[in-house]
Amino acid sequence: MGSVFTSIALPVALAIVMLGLGLGLTRADFERVLRHPRVTLAALACQIVVLPAACFALVLAFDLPPALAVGMMLLAAAPGGTSANLFSHLFRGDVALNISLTAVNSVLALVTLPLIVNFSLGWFGAGADHLGAQAKTALDVVVIVLLPVLLGMLIRFRRPGWADQMDRPVRRASFTILVLVMLGAIITNWALLAQEFGRLSVITVLFCLLSLTVGFVVPRRFGASHPQAVATSFEIGIHNATLAIVVAQTVLGSTELSLPAAVYGVLMLPLAIGFGTLVRSRYGLRPEPAA
């Protein structure tokens, strides 16, 4: 039963999530990032360089076991999650920029995620047999990430009306899938999670708060408006925990590696709401009601 969940259910679940992302994307979303090059480059640098480096420092400071250390690095390497778009909408961020960054980050992750994961596997000595399989890891990431996104974009191009109709149902399904995937990862490794929950909860909370703060402050230094900074904070601060769990269990074949992402996925939601509320009160803004 467990192998069926790992080999079939998880990839299918992620495919639905990424298909939903693709349904909301157009070519204009990729072109839009060129209109704000300084903000875009600052956000991408935070996502690809700053946060993995910060996560690496946290992992060393907390002296996590090798599998959990690699799991944290896998989470840091994951692009922004689809929930970031919703939070940007609620707290009056530039949702169009948010969607554009999600699209670009998802494509870049095809290269950056295997690089960071393989580096982590070598450094922490967890599953060293995967080190020589970087090309396969990248190919697997392409299959489970890029192809569903491209299919969603093709559907939107061919049948935009149907894509609009499916947007809300697919978003709801994606949220349900996210919850089920996290619960599955937690239940599968309950004993290890109970043993390491203290350290994992602290480090994931710190990492989430650091990600949200960096995502807001750094782009502001590069000229981002307040709505743009809100968008980048959620894009950078809300990592794709579902992708991290699926890569851990299906590509790397380890449920232990998925635990940090599962804990992060649970704790991230109230932290993101609290962060958005704090930023809103600081700038005297009110969130829009949920659709």
Side-chain angles (χ1 to χ4, degrees), residues 16 46 54 60 64 79 158 205 222 224 259-260 288:
I16 294 174
C46 290
L60 293 179
L64 291 181
R158 296 283 188 177
V205 166
F222 284 83
L259 281 181
E288 295 178 356

Side-chain angles (χ1 to χ4, degrees), residues 238-256:
I238 300 180
H239 297 262
N240 194 331
T242 307
L243 173 61
I245 292 172
V246 173
V247 170
Q249 296 195 21
T250 63
V251 179
L252 300 176
S254 171
T255 53
E256 290 183 41

Side-chain angles (χ1 to χ4, degrees), residues 42-43 45-48 50-56 58 72 75-80 203-219 229-240 264 268 271-272 275:
C46 290
Q47 182 81 46
I48 296 172
V50 176
L51 288 184
C55 184
F56 184 70
L58 284 174
M72 279 298 303
L75 175 64
I203 192 173
T204 51
V205 166
L206 287 176
F207 179 64
C208 183
L209 292 176
L210 179 65
S211 300
L212 289 166
T213 303
V214 168
F216 184 84
V217 172
V218 174
V230 170
T232 56
S233 68
F234 288 123
E235 172 63 28
I236 294 169
I238 300 180
H239 297 262
N240 194 331
Y264 169 88
M268 169 269 295
L271 291 174
F275 181 85

Side-chain angles (χ1 to χ4, degrees), residues 128-164:
D129 54 305
H130 290 290
L131 286 174
Q134 184 163 316
K136 181 181 183 302
T137 303
L139 179 61
D140 289 339
V141 173
V142 169
V143 172
I144 63 178
V145 175
L146 186 60
L147 293 185
V149 171
L150 292 177
L151 177 59
M153 292 182 67
L154 178 62
I155 293 174
R156 166 159 288 279
F157 177 75
R158 296 283 188 177
R159 302 185 62 182
W162 187 83
D164 289 335

Side-chain angles (χ1 to χ4, degrees), residues 23-232:
L23 286 174
L25 294 178
T26 65
R27 188 178 65 180
D29 293 316
F30 291 90
E31 296 173 346
R32 189 180 294 112
V33 298
L34 299 177
R35 301 175 192 169
H36 309 283
R38 284 168 56 86
V39 175
T40 298
L41 290 176
L44 293 178
C46 290
Q47 182 81 46
I48 296 172
V49 179
V50 176
L51 288 184
C55 184
F56 184 70
L58 284 174
V59 166
L60 293 179
F62 278 77
D63 193 26
L64 291 181
L68 299 183
V70 175
M72 279 298 303
M73 294 302 295
L74 171 58
L75 175 64
T82 54
S83 300
N85 301 339
L86 173 60
F87 281 107
S88 286
H89 170 69
L90 290 177
F91 293 99
R92 293 196 172 182
D94 186 341
V95 180
L97 177 62
N98 205 164
I99 294 173
S100 302
L101 288 173
T102 300
V104 174
N105 272 328
S106 297
V107 173
L108 292 178
L110 303 177
V111 176
T112 59
L113 191 148
L115 286 174
I116 293 173
V117 169
N118 278 272
F119 164 79
S120 304
L121 288 169
W123 182 277
F124 296 106
D129 54 305
H130 290 290
L131 286 174
Q134 184 163 316
K136 181 181 183 302
T137 303
L139 179 61
D140 289 339
V141 173
V142 169
V143 172
I144 63 178
V145 175
L146 186 60
L147 293 185
V149 171
L150 292 177
L151 177 59
M153 292 182 67
L154 178 62
I155 293 174
R156 166 159 288 279
F157 177 75
R158 296 283 188 177
R159 302 185 62 182
W162 187 83
D164 289 335
Q165 293 176 4
M166 293 300 297
D167 180 67
R168 179 171 293 185
V170 173
R171 283 179 182 272
R172 290 176 176 173
S174 297
F175 179 79
T176 302
I177 288 168
L178 172 63
V179 173
L180 293 177
V181 167
M182 289 187 299
L183 288 177
I186 290 173
I187 293 172
T188 303
N189 265 304
W190 178 254
L192 179 61
L193 177 62
Q195 178 183 342
E196 297 289 347
F197 182 78
R199 280 194 291 184
L200 276 180
S201 60
V202 174
I203 192 173
T204 51
V205 166
L206 287 176
F207 179 64
C208 183
L209 292 176
L210 179 65
S211 300
L212 289 166
T213 303
V214 168
F216 184 84
V217 172
V218 174
R220 287 285 281 180
R221 298 291 183 184
F222 284 83
S225 64
H226 174 74
Q228 289 174 335
V230 170
T232 56

